[in-house]
Structure formats: C-alpha cells, structure tokens
Amino acid sequence: GRSSYSRPSLSNALMAPSLELKISTAESICADLNHIRSAFLVIIYLFITIFLRIVHRYHEEMIPHKVVVLGGGVAGLSSALLFARAGHSVLVLERDPFPLGEAATSPQWPRKGIPHFLQPHAFMPRGRQVLRDHLPDVYETLLAAGAEDIDMRRKLPGATKPEDVDLQYLAVRRPLIEWALRKAIASEPLVEVRSDTKVSGLRLEGRRITGVAINGTEVSATIVVDALGRKMPTTEWLSQ
C-alpha cells in the first residue's frame, strides 16, 4: 500500500530553521532580561542599604546624648563645653570644690591633684589655634584677663609669610585657664557641675560603659569622658 508519509513542503523546510532561531533568540532575550532584573535588584538593594545606613548615622548624630565627664580640669571642662555646644546634656563630676569668683582669686583654689597648678603654662601655636577655632570666647576671656600672645615671627630668618601669623604662643598660668573655662561653663544651660564628688567606679553592660558610680549611687550615661589625669583609676575599673 501507499505510505502515509508526506514529505514536508519546501516552505515548511525553509521556515523550520527560522523558527528555531526565533525560539533561541527569545530564550536568550529572556535570560538577558533575567540578568538585567537581577542586577537591577542588587543595585536597588545596595542603594537602600546605603541609604538606611546614612539615615541611621544621621539619626544617631542628631540624638542628644547624656554625657558624663570625669574630672573638671582643663581637659574635662573643654570636653564639656564642646559637647554642650553640640546639643548634648553634660554632667561634670569634680572631686575638688568648684568656685568661680574673679580671675585674681583662681590661684587660691584648692587643686591638690594638680601639683603644677601654680606653675607657668603656655599654649603652643597649634594649641592656641585649636583654642581660637573651637573655643574663641575662652581665648578672648584669657586675653582680657591678662594672658598674652607671644609672636615668634621676629625670630624667623628671612622674610615672613602670611601663614606665619599662626606662629604665636599663648602665655598664661594654669589657674587662669581653668577660670576662663569655668566662666564659660557657667553660661552653658546644658552643663551641670557636681563638685566635691568622687567617682568610685564604672557601670558596665557587657563591653559597654553605661554609667558611673558616685557616692554609693549610679549615674547613667551614653558617653563617659575620662579626664581624671595621669593617675586615673579607670584602667583598673575596666579590668574588674
């Protein structure tokens, strides 16, 4: 009998490779689209991650912290001023009494923890510039109370340059430095000073300091600044 086989027409034979090519092309396009979509999703994920980190960091920077400063000397009071002027509430804990009065009375203050309290001091040019940049009111208060800029440009060989104007020391005694800082502190509503207060330890939660111990009680803090000086006991407290 006759075979039921029918030979494909010439048009079908010519169209078959074209159809396979179209299918292959479509699959390739779909694969490329999937890759593009995956890459696009990765980019969106990275963008969102970076954005959230920036927002989180900005949010943290805008949150007012409760800062506790240990020690009311030059380092402690300078730190307290800068934190307060950045919008944070500050508690300064000082072992000695904390009078203010007139500048001339500052050498009489009891500062038993500072053996060099009555010796001459000076801000080197870099320190003087930092003081002028960050605490200009304290700098002006010191000059008005008798501190003096010592210009070193005349000792330079050759012609001076405009930037040499910063080569100046600030000659001042330690009591006057603390007096000027205390005067600035007195006008800061975000700073509280507790004098005659001895810190007895730190409060720890895991590896984080969350407060300090004073007079049998605890004071919470989000930031603790150690300005107790060279004989600070904080290293021993942290090792316990």
Side-chain angles (χ1 to χ4, degrees):
R2 293 185 179 180
S3 173
S4 60
Y5 171 78
S6 62
R7 187 173 61 180
S9 65
L10 179 60
S11 60
N12 288 340
L14 292 175
M15 290 177 59
S18 176
L19 180 60
E20 291 177 357
L21 179 61
K22 289 181 179 179
I23 294 174
S24 176
T25 302
E27 290 176 348
S28 177
I29 292 174
C30 289
D32 291 340
L33 288 175
N34 287 332
H35 291 157
I36 293 173
R37 182 171 58 184
S38 299
F40 183 71
L41 291 176
V42 170
I43 293 173
I44 292 178
Y45 172 79
L46 291 175
F47 175 81
I48 294 175
T49 301
I50 295 173
F51 176 77
L52 290 177
R53 287 182 180 178
I54 294 174
V55 171
H56 180 67
R57 181 177 178 182
Y58 178 79
H59 182 62
E60 283 187 335
E61 291 176 349
M62 293 300 292
I63 294 176
H65 289 284
K66 176 60 182 292
V67 182
V68 174
V69 178
L70 313 183
V74 173
L77 296 181
S78 299
S79 300
L81 281 173
L82 293 174
F83 271 114
R85 292 176 180 181
H88 307 290
S89 61
V90 184
L91 173 63
V92 179
L93 304 176
E94 169 55 43
R95 179 189 59 186
D96 293 336
F98 202 82
L100 182 56
E102 298 298 325
T105 65
S106 58
Q108 303 170 14
W109 292 345
R111 300 295 278 144
K112 58 184 179 180
I114 308 176
H116 56 280
F117 185 62
L118 297 178
Q119 295 178 6
H121 282 64
F123 284 86
M124 297 180 68
R126 179 62 175 174
R128 172 182 173 273
Q129 187 61 48
V130 170
L131 180 64
R132 295 181 65 194
D133 290 343
H134 297 282
L135 297 173
D137 56 319
V138 176
Y139 171 75
E140 295 297 336
T141 298
L142 288 171
L143 291 181
E148 183 179 356
D149 284 330
I150 300 177
D151 196 336
M152 303 299 292
R153 286 176 292 179
R154 62 180 181 274
K155 294 183 177 294
L156 295 175
T160 59
K161 300 178 181 179
E163 56 267 27
D164 292 337
V165 69
D166 293 330
L167 296 177
Q168 299 186 55
Y169 285 74
L170 178 62
V172 59
R173 288 187 179 272
R174 171 65 180 259
L176 190 61
I177 300 173
E178 289 200 12
W179 174 82
L181 289 169
R182 291 187 185 189
K183 185 175 181 180
I185 285 286
S187 62
E188 289 294 335
L190 291 177
V191 179
E192 175 190 354
V193 178
R194 294 186 191 177
S195 58
D196 300 299
T197 301
K198 186 176 182 179
V199 180
S200 57
L202 300 173
R203 186 176 70 186
L204 300 173
E205 293 183 5
R207 298 176 61 87
R208 183 178 178 84
I209 299 174
T210 59
V212 299
I214 56 171
N215 302 329
T217 62
E218 291 185 348
V219 177
S220 62
T222 54
I223 296 176
V224 176
V225 179
D226 181 4
L228 293 176
R230 291 180 296 175
K231 296 183 178 181
M232 57 186 180
T234 47
T235 303
E236 180 181 350
W237 293 338
L238 292 172
S239 64
Q240 295 177 354

